[in-house]
Amino acid sequence: MNDRLNPLAPDYSHYQLVSVSLLRVLIGWHLLYEGMAKLAHSNWTSAAYLLDSKWIFSGVAKWIVTNPGLLSFVDTLNMWGLTLIGLSLMFGLMSRWGSIAGACLLVVYYIFHPPLVGLEYSKPPEGSYLLVDKNLVEACALFVLVMFPTSHITGLDRFLNKD
Amino acid sequence: MSDTKTNKAEEQQSSQNSGLQFERRDIIKGLAAVPAMLLFLWNYFKKQALDKMRSGEIMEELSLKKKAPAVLKNKKPGDLIRLGVIGYGWRGAQDVKAAGFGNPEWAAKAKAAADRNKLDKRFETYLQQDDLNLALTGVCDVFDTRREQGIASSKATIRPNGVAQQTAPAKGYLDYQDLLASDDIDAVIITTPDHWHSKIAIDAERAGKHVYVEKCMTRTMEEAHAMYAAFDGSKMKLQLGHHSRAVASHEKAKEIIDNDILGPITLVEVTTNRNSPGGAWVYPIQWNSIEDVYQKYESKDRYATPKTLDWDRWQGPAPNKVPFNLERYFRWRCWYDYGTGLSGDLLSHDFDAVNQIMDLGIPKTASSSGGIYRYTKANFPDMIEHERDVPDNFQTVFEYPERNLTVMYSATLTNSNHRGKVFMGHDATMEVGSGLTVTPDNSSTRYKQKIADGIINTSLPMFAYSPGSKDIDGVTSATAKYFAQKGLMYTYKEGKRADPTHLHVADWLDCIRNGGEPRCNIEEGFEEAVACHMATQSYLEGRRVEWDPVKRKIV
């Protein structure tokens, strides 16, 4: 995706560039470690998270868990997805695609476990949430990064965009 | 904004560059995140190394094998063993299923349940059982319906591992003596109420049959002595039905205790936690089906009546004879005339587990208390007609002064709050269920330095064993959840889920074919029976009782 196609591609001030780039790197750091920690943990599976799913996607979650092949695929996709998205954001390599993929992944996490009124989960959250949780906030932050790309300036995309 | 202009000018300048000529500015900005990546990697590997060091030091300290314990490697099936079952009630059907003869009615319902809910693995687990090379040749029950259900099991077409339907159905018996006299039976599973256990088992031994008998081994202390006399040194193999001996976590727990990881253990707490009429043995009367015990009755034409149920034969050695009484028949566990109450029925599981893990033997003293606090006629006038004499709340304290140890059992049939099986040592606490955790104690002497160095965190388990943690199960009822938490439903053998009862039956058959002692033989069975009878006697007499090891009697 070329930033010229994006009407919102802004001309950044120095501080704007630094702060948005920092946001990109920090989210990348977080997602990269989430992925690598899961990869390093040979027994990790999303099954418990999915089984505890509530709201309209709980049926889908249960369907995934009851199909071992599908669960394994989802686990692999999750671990490598997080890792690659994290690398993309940190290095600034195809970061807008990485941002879109990351936002989608986080929205999926959110809709499987939304903190809606009346929904209780077996594992208590680490904070207090009402409709909005950190997954949703981080997904929105990634959407902001789609709208305000920086990798063509402060990332490896700078070299790819050279023509 | 001057900054904006600067960046804009920079981008324009950059875009004017031809080809892939990169300026120093491009290199610096394009690789701006590289220091962050280096910082990430440095911290990542530092954390990995720290975790590995901690884990390694803990495991080295614990001297534990990381792999799962080897659980019951079955030997080859060998010669065909012809099996008889005496008492084909709920537990009888389960034991026979574990031997490879799942009742067709059960199989159909389990399959339908699995089709509805793929998390329900009961049917799949049954189908994956090893073929034990058995023939079910005899079924004895004093209730016609159950006898027919047992015979139907011998004709099952759905068998584990695709084993073919056996060629001839089992023969039905009303009198167990006729079954024992039969030449086409090598071994018997005894799943009658407790008041028949010892008499049938002893007669079976005399008839040259191997015996698998459900707990509690006997109803009385006298019967326990008689069983011991019959099976001590006998060629007939006796297995007491404590299938939790086949639970993988018990093997690991024993390894942990043997490695002295918990330090001196002075208190063990075991519990029963149930909260339903079924859990308190207030079963539906007139249940007619293997599954009816938790469900509605299916047909009324085969109900137990004096014509279909041989009441006098069923009462047999019970001390107090009463007229035909279906409540007593279907809910026999509620009366000491037939059963052994919470001690023989449920404490026995936990006592045997602790005995397996710690090799305790018979306690020195037992003190029990409790009462019938909920399941009374007054509280359930529509459900209960005759008052029970077995308590629904029951606590026992066993003392082992020579081991500096107390074993405390607390049972309620009126609350299902899970309380684990907990071994408390000076250095750590171990909680055992289908898996186990070991959590260090804040005031541990052994781990003091490692706690101070931050290697061991006392707020977290330092060791966790979770067999089959990637395998997800759907637990279908409160009682099933209770059993699952206690590891009585499933265990894991070589990574595959298995019914512990199946493994326990397989162990018995291995010993019949290849020699050796079953895991829960007459020695362990006698210890279990004595401990349970001490607990019951203490409750009934309202005093602390002692075991005299010289006279081998409760005083």
Side-chain angles (χ1 to χ4, degrees), chain B residues 104-114 116 289 291-292 295 298:
Chain B
E105 184 188 347
W106 171 85
K109 287 186 176 174
K111 184 174 185 307
R116 280 195 308 273
S289 150
E291 297 291 298
D292 273 359
Q295 298 176 19
E298 290 200 329

Side-chain angles (χ1 to χ4, degrees), chain A residues 12 51 90 154-155 158 162, chain B residues 3 7 14 26 29-30 33 472:
Chain A
Y12 296 115
L51 272 181
M90 280 201 76
T154 57
R158 185 185 186 104
K162 280 278 182 185
Chain B
D3 283 343
N7 279 308
S14 181
D26 290 327
K29 288 210 165 185
I472 303 303

Side-chain angles (χ1 to χ4, degrees), chain B residues 87-393:
Chain B
Y88 192 83
W90 174 68
R91 186 58 189 161
Q94 286 188 333
D95 284 358
V96 169
K97 172 168 70 74
F101 298 91
N103 185 276
E105 184 188 347
W106 171 85
K109 287 186 176 174
K111 184 174 185 307
D115 288 343
R116 280 195 308 273
N117 176 11
K118 287 190 174 179
L119 295 178
D120 189 330
K121 301 283 181 69
R122 290 174 299 167
F123 189 60
E124 181 186 322
T125 304
Y126 171 65
L127 292 182
Q128 289 175 352
Q129 277 182 193
D130 290 336
D131 173 24
L132 301 178
N133 196 14
L134 295 170
L136 181 59
T137 50
V139 175
C140 174
D141 203 293
V142 296
F143 180 20
D144 293 354
T145 301
R146 290 181 176 179
R147 191 165 60 250
E148 287 163 17
Q149 287 168 341
I151 294 168
S153 297
S154 72
K155 295 188 277 191
T157 53
I158 300 174
R159 302 282 311 279
N161 269 314
V163 178
Q165 181 183 14
Q166 74 178 37
T167 50
K171 190 177 171 187
Y173 297 89
L174 178 64
D175 188 336
Y176 78 90
Q177 294 284 11
D178 293 338
L179 182 146
L180 294 180
S182 174
D183 289 336
D184 67 352
I185 286 175
D186 305 308
V188 290
I189 291 177
I190 301 170
T191 36
T192 61
D194 299 355
H195 69 296
W196 269 110
H197 284 176
S198 66
K199 179 157 177 50
I200 297 175
I202 292 166
D203 287 346
E205 194 276 339
R206 287 179 184 151
K209 316 291 185 193
H210 302 282
V211 171
Y212 183 106
V213 61
E214 271 301 330
K215 50 80 194 169
C216 185
M217 189 174 82
T218 66
R219 195 187 71 83
T220 68
M221 195 58 232
E222 293 72 26
E223 291 170 355
H225 282 299
M227 279 280 284
Y228 192 88
F231 282 93
D232 182 32
S234 169
K235 289 181 181 173
M236 298 298 108
K237 301 296 182 187
L238 174 78
Q239 176 87 294
L240 182 61
H242 281 303
H243 51 289
S244 62
R245 288 215 168 222
V247 172
S249 62
H250 289 196
E251 291 282 316
K252 187 56 94 178
K254 184 169 177 55
E255 188 186 336
I256 285 166
I257 301 268
D258 291 347
N259 280 283
D260 195 27
I261 284 159
L262 308 185
I265 301 168
T266 51
L267 182 60
V268 176
E269 272 187 4
V270 288
T271 63
T272 292
N273 316 283
R274 295 180 177 187
N275 191 12
S276 66
W281 312 311
V282 183
Y283 298 129
I285 293 179
Q286 290 286 21
W287 65 270
N288 186 44
S289 150
I290 296 297
E291 297 291 298
D292 273 359
V293 66
Y294 294 122
Q295 298 176 19
K296 287 184 177 178
Y297 318 131
E298 290 200 329
S299 68
K300 294 186 177 180
D301 57 348
R302 290 155 76 202
Y303 273 7
T305 67
K307 284 186 180 176
T308 59
L309 169 61
D310 190 335
W311 176 248
D312 291 339
R313 199 183 294 275
W314 183 81
Q315 288 198 97
N320 298 301
K321 304 291 193 292
V322 299
F324 187 81
N325 184 321
L326 287 178
E327 201 171 0
R328 281 186 168 236
Y329 175 73
F330 286 105
R331 301 173 181 170
W332 59 266
R333 287 178 172 87
C334 297
W335 284 274
Y336 282 120
D337 283 338
Y338 323 107
T340 41
L342 269 162
S343 59
D345 213 277
L346 295 172
L347 160 61
S348 59
H349 277 305
D350 290 299
F351 174 82
D352 185 70
V354 178
N355 197 20
Q356 177 191 3
I357 292 166
M358 295 187 71
D359 197 19
L360 289 179
I362 298 169
K364 175 67 178 163
T365 65
S367 308
S368 301
S369 65
I372 305 164
Y373 296 145
R374 178 165 167 78
Y375 287 98
T376 60
K377 194 175 171 180
N379 285 339
F380 295 91
D382 298 335
M383 198 185 288
I384 295 173
E385 189 178 339
H386 297 90
E387 299 284 11
R388 63 201 282 160
D389 59 13
V390 159
D392 54 21
N393 271 259

